[in-house]
Amino acid sequence: MESAAPVRFAEVARMLAAATRARGLQAPSFRSPPRIAGACRSIRWYPGGAVVAVQLRGRRFEGVQSDMVEGVIVANRLEGQAADRLRAALAAALSVHDRDRPSTAAA
């Protein structure tokens, strides 16, 4: 796992929150790690919204991003075509975010 994963996690959380709110939906909060031992993703419901917890350690960041997107969908209680549309929109936003991100590879 890359050492910049917590920074990337925070960047992706902000981007997903903005993209979710832009679609008129509730953006969950994100944290890491989940409180449930062995879980890759969990969600806690609160009166004002939800917190999605995602495991970072020992995982490829693509899996982390996927869990974050699914957390947004679950937090908004979306199913079927509505979930598919949001999943596609958030994946597209992540693709633009990753494309515009400076490379961390050594020169």
Side-chain angles (χ1 to χ4, degrees):
M1 185 180 76
E2 65 188 60
S3 61
V7 173
R8 285 186 71 195
F9 180 76
E11 290 173 355
V12 169
R14 283 189 294 273
M15 191 281 315
L16 287 175
T20 300
R21 282 190 214 98
R23 287 162 178 75
L25 298 169
Q26 177 89 19
S29 296
F30 291 96
R31 70 176 303 275
S32 180
R35 292 181 180 176
I36 301 169
C40 287
R41 179 185 74 226
S42 68
I43 189 164
R44 291 181 64 95
W45 301 97
Y46 293 97
V51 176
V52 175
V54 179
Q55 178 67 41
L56 297 178
R57 282 186 196 252
R59 300 182 67 203
R60 294 184 51 90
F61 201 76
E62 293 81 11
V64 171
Q65 286 179 327
S66 178
D67 277 346
M68 293 172 79
V69 168
E70 291 305 312
V72 172
I73 290 166
V74 171
N76 283 280
R77 303 175 197 271
L78 299 178
E79 296 177 348
Q81 290 181 345
D84 291 341
R85 282 191 300 272
L86 182 60
R87 191 176 290 113
L90 295 179
L94 283 174
S95 174
V96 168
H97 171 76
D98 286 344
R99 184 185 68 228
D100 293 342
R101 207 171 164 270
S103 175
T104 57

